[in-house]
Amino acid sequence: MAMRMSTLFLRTLREDPTDAELPGHRLLVRAGYVRRVAPGIYTWLPLGLKVMEKVKGIVREEMEAIGDQEIAFPSLLPREPYEASNRWTEYGDDLFRLTDRKGADMLLGPTHEEMFTLAVKDLYTSYKDLPLGLFQILPKYRDELRPRAGVLRGREFTMKDAYSFDVDEAGLEAAYQRHRKAYTRVFDRLGFEYVAVHADSGAMGGSASEEFLAVMDSGEDTFVRDESGYAANVEAVQMPVVPVPTDEAERTALWGHLPAAHVEDTPDTPTIETLVAAANADHPRADGREWTAADTLKNVLVVLVHPDGTREPLAIGVPGDREVDAKRLEAQVSPAVVEPFETADFEQYPDLAKGYIGPGVLGAERATGIRYLLDPLVTPGSAWVTGADEAGKHVFDLVHGRDFTADGTIHAASIREGDPSPTGAGPLRLARGVEMGHIFQLGTKYAEALGLKVLDQNGKLVTVQMGSYGIGITRAVGVVAETHHDEIGLVWPRELSPADVHVVATGKDAAVLEKAEELTAALEQQGLTVLLDDRPKVSPGVKFKDAELIGVPTILVVGKGLAEGEVEIKDRAAGSSRAVAVDAAVEAVVAEVRGQ
Ligand code: ATP
Ligand code: MG
């Protein structure tokens, strides 16, 4: 049955919604696909639901094609399984928690590893039952700190999550590759540019993992690529770490020729810029080169808040011309969250000279006892200008390994376009994207926590190897909207369009509507889905504007030309139109929709 604009539950808006920061989001609201209920919580109207169902259909088809079976868990879940995996605590404030009338703790599922693990434990006992792949397509709930861009980052959002169960690691590897292939097929069909990148596995745990990012300048994730085909989320980039040598000869070779460290007066230089200026003015380099920010070592303090609420200060040393990248840092300290080191924190550490903090007081063994980690860019044998832990003083020629060491390494410095790639294959290039899918080799993390074991061929109990594979369904609709529009409206790829063709009847003539109805029926007869603008007393101008806003790729206009036996076929993406004889219209539209 055609959707009729005269009765469709839809009101298009001429004005942009005030809370929409990205163009695709604005258009989804204006064209009547979604309506906001609360921050990050959306209602899907008929047109939006059609698109969402198409995305689900593609995903479902590709999951079933690799043999995964669909099931559905509740969203409302008991605490216990999440307690067993420790995620009741680790998920922190992102978890929607509630209490039932008897006082029992419940949650709204943010992801369902625990439930799938328990379901398989419930039914299966033997290696003969495996391999197994299960999936569901269901709303998920996360109390995101910053819901964003409508359905791109919601607090309720629909995800497809799949899980694989195998008796050994080889099985897991095969399942992972199977899902990886299915993902490339899904994203090829969804029609946006994407890239598979090495990822950090974050709160999920486990080892190997990759993300599929939709390439988009307004994306929240930054990723790097090099010429060898290596691609990684910046969160997951691990730069080579050079250890401080223990061998005496090696140590001498590294820094034996370097001048001894010396403390200098550098009044009023609490920032890198003021320090560099003062160093050049008052303490010029012996080799005649200018000091730059890259010669300074910046020690950044933060507070890690662990899931159990404990607060741990942390100092991070990075070259002064770089920042501490919040995302890289967060990924590495997860599940702890990062908070700023405040004035009140400074008061607890009198040995910290704000603006002049140096390695002299940092580290578990030193005055403050604050754990001190260095970015690998601070290589052993490199000499630095850094704080002397006294207001107005800096230490020069301080050599890593000779004059100071840290408690460990952290990959936290901001990565820049042109930085050397960790693979050695040419410089890194940076781009931004939106995470559309994430595949993980979980290993035994959840199976262990929840006791999922099966008997292997030798009758021995072994822990099941699991993988987990997510795709953001509602986010995909958002990404397609962001990547498929122009100034006047949405332009859906054919496979996702809410209808195959938008038939627009214009003019008051009764014959026009009659013909439009007739063509609609004939198109449906051919298996096409139709959105029919049959609204009486709505001007052609308004109808055309709505059709452009809604974004069905093929528009069939039945109007003025009918008297001469002609209708018009418009191509929404190209903005072009052509007249065809009424009698040839159905055939022409079908050919266009089917790409013939
Ligand atoms: P992000 O880093 O964007 O928060 P995530 O790492 O938390 O994502 P996963 O837990 O791996 O995401 O979830 C699987 C998929 O679900 C993601 O790849 C993404 O497509 C989608 N997704 C995650 N969070 C949201 C959200 N708040 N709104 C819409 N989709 C989401
Ligand atoms: Mg997230």
Side-chain angles (χ1 to χ4, degrees):
M1 268 285 276
M3 287 184 282
R4 290 164 178 276
M5 293 281 282
S6 59
T7 52
L8 188 63
F9 189 57
L10 169 76
R11 284 290 173 268
T12 57
L13 310 174
R14 292 285 160 252
E15 300 296 320
D16 281 336
T18 51
D19 65 326
E21 61 266 57
L22 294 183
H25 176 202
R26 278 200 288 278
L27 291 168
L28 283 176
V29 175
R30 279 190 45 207
Y33 285 77
V34 297
R35 298 288 296 168
R36 196 183 86 131
V37 173
I41 304 178
Y42 283 81
T43 302
W44 290 77
L45 298 178
L47 289 178
L49 204 53
K50 289 265 186 234
V51 177
M52 197 207 309
E53 289 304 321
K54 295 231 166 149
V55 176
K56 285 185 189 174
I58 291 172
V59 171
R60 182 174 283 127
E61 242 174 72
E62 297 298 347
M63 289 298 115
E64 288 180 344
I66 57 168
D68 283 7
Q69 302 169 55
E70 185 167 2
I71 62 175
F73 281 105
S75 292
L76 181 61
L77 300 168
R79 167 176 174 164
E80 289 70 25
Y82 287 77
E83 188 69 57
S85 67
N86 203 33
R87 287 210 290 190
W88 175 261
T89 313
E90 280 184 7
Y91 239 103
D93 289 341
D94 277 8
L95 195 64
F96 274 107
R97 300 155 202 268
L98 54 163
T99 313
D100 73 10
R101 66 203 297 159
K102 296 196 179 114
D105 283 329
M106 314 278 293
L107 64 126
L108 296 176
T111 174
H112 282 74
E113 277 78 0
E114 288 81 351
M115 303 314 296
F116 277 87
T117 309
L118 287 175
V120 176
K121 181 182 175 182
D122 193 15
L123 297 185
Y124 278 5
T125 53
S126 161
Y127 74 95
K128 290 182 200 146
D129 299 324
L130 305 181
L132 171 69
L134 298 173
F135 75 100
Q136 63 174 353
I137 301 178
L138 214 72
K140 297 272 192 267
Y141 299 85
R142 297 181 187 176
D143 197 358
E144 298 275 353
L145 185 59
R146 282 178 287 273
R148 178 176 175 265
V151 298
L152 274 192
R153 182 174 295 284
R155 295 195 296 162
E156 179 188 276
F157 59 96
T158 298
M159 193 205 289
K160 183 285 301 177
D161 47 334
Y163 303 82
S164 64
F165 302 85
D166 285 272
V167 72
D168 55 22
E169 281 176 31
L172 167 57
E173 177 63 29
Y176 182 84
Q177 293 306 335
R178 215 164 38 242
H179 284 84
R180 194 179 190 285
K181 283 211 191 82
Y183 270 46
T184 61
R185 284 192 291 269
V186 166
F187 294 121
D188 284 344
R189 289 176 68 180
L190 290 180
F192 45 74
E193 189 193 347
Y194 69 93
V195 45
V197 303
H198 295 283
D200 178 82
S201 45
M204 298 297 164
S207 52
S209 95
E210 285 166 279
E211 287 169 353
F212 289 79
L213 302 181
V215 180
M216 226 171 89
D217 289 341
S218 51
E220 287 180 276
D221 283 278
T222 304
F223 67 96
V224 299
R225 287 190 261 208
D226 75 10
E227 282 146 21
S228 73
Y230 163 83
N233 194 310
V234 285
E235 293 173 10
V237 174
Q238 300 271 307
M239 290 297 184
V241 179
V242 184
V244 176
T246 48
D247 177 75
E248 222 26 73
E250 276 179 57
R251 291 165 69 89
T252 311
L254 259 187
W255 52 65
H257 58 293
L258 298 177
H262 48 106
V263 174
E264 302 290 347
D265 280 326
T266 52
D268 299 323
T269 55
T271 64
I272 299 290
E273 298 77 62
T274 51
L275 169 62
V276 170
N280 280 318
D282 305 332
H283 310 282
R285 290 175 61 94
D287 62 6
R289 164 169 91 68
E290 295 263 296
W291 292 112
T292 70
D295 298 312
T296 69
L297 172 64
K298 177 157 73 181
N299 297 298
V300 178
L301 287 159
V302 297
V303 177
L304 301 186
V305 183
H306 292 283
D308 65 3
T310 37
R311 294 169 65 82
E312 181 204 354
L314 175 69
I316 300 152
V318 296
D321 61 336
R322 311 240 173 189
E323 304 304 325
V324 169
D325 181 312
K327 290 221 160 184
R328 296 188 80 200
L329 174 60
E330 279 162 15
Q332 286 188 71
V333 301
S334 163
V337 296
V338 179
E339 286 188 2
F341 196 87
E342 311 273 13
T343 313
D345 298 304
F346 271 105
E347 280 161 10
Q348 291 187 27
Y349 294 93
D351 291 307
L352 292 175
K354 201 173 175 181
Y356 302 89
I357 299 167
V361 297
L362 300 173
E365 309 286 304
R366 300 211 177 73
T368 57
I370 294 176
R371 189 151 68 101
Y372 183 42
L373 302 175
L374 284 174
D375 186 272
L377 288 173
V378 184
T379 53
S382 55
W384 301 91
V385 180
T386 190
D389 303 305
E390 206 179 308
K393 288 188 194 298
H394 280 90
V395 53
F396 287 62
D397 294 312
L398 194 76
V399 174
H400 177 207
R402 182 187 72 179
D403 306 323
F404 74 101
T405 52
D407 300 318
T409 304
I410 189 161
H411 297 263
S414 48
I415 292 178
R416 288 194 300 235
E417 181 83 21
D419 275 352
S421 169
T423 68
L428 289 177
R429 286 176 304 120
L430 264 69
R432 296 183 75 85
V434 175
E435 182 189 322
M436 280 314 314
H438 199 165
I439 54 178
F440 299 88
Q441 294 193 19
L442 293 170
T444 55
K445 175 176 165 163
Y446 293 92
E448 196 117 323
L450 296 158
L452 170 58
K453 293 184 199 292
V454 293
L455 290 170
D456 72 5
Q457 272 131 313
N458 308 315
K460 208 172 101 250
L461 269 182
V462 291
T463 305
V464 170
Q465 296 279 342
M466 288 173 57
S468 108
Y469 316 93
I471 291 181
I473 301 286
T474 43
R475 180 177 284 184
V477 177
V479 163
V480 175
E482 297 305 338
T483 51
H484 291 73
H485 68 265
D486 55 22
E487 317 76 62
I488 53 176
L490 295 158
V491 187
W492 292 106
R494 287 212 182 277
E495 228 188 322
L496 298 185
S497 177
D500 292 320
V501 51
H502 189 155
V503 176
V504 179
T506 65
K508 298 192 188 86
D509 194 347
V512 165
L513 186 58
E514 222 166 274
K515 188 46 98 181
E517 294 274 8
E518 201 181 292
L519 288 169
T520 297
L523 288 166
E524 290 191 298
Q525 196 73 47
Q526 295 293 315
L528 266 47
T529 55
V530 182
L531 172 62
L532 170 63
D533 197 344
D534 58 344
R535 290 174 293 178
K537 299 189 190 123
V538 173
S539 78
V542 168
K543 288 186 175 180
F544 293 147
K545 272 216 168 61
D546 279 344
E548 282 156 353
L549 183 60
I550 289 168
V552 174
T554 299
I555 301 164
L556 176 64
V557 183
V558 185
K560 279 206 301 283
L562 195 61
E564 283 80 54
E566 281 185 345
V567 292
E568 211 186 321
I569 299 176
K570 289 190 176 188
D571 181 317
R572 173 65 185 88
S576 59
S577 77
R578 62 192 166 102
V580 294
V582 184
D583 298 341
V586 171
E587 202 182 331
V589 169
V590 169
E592 193 149 319
V593 170
R594 304 236 160 98
Q596 287 148 1

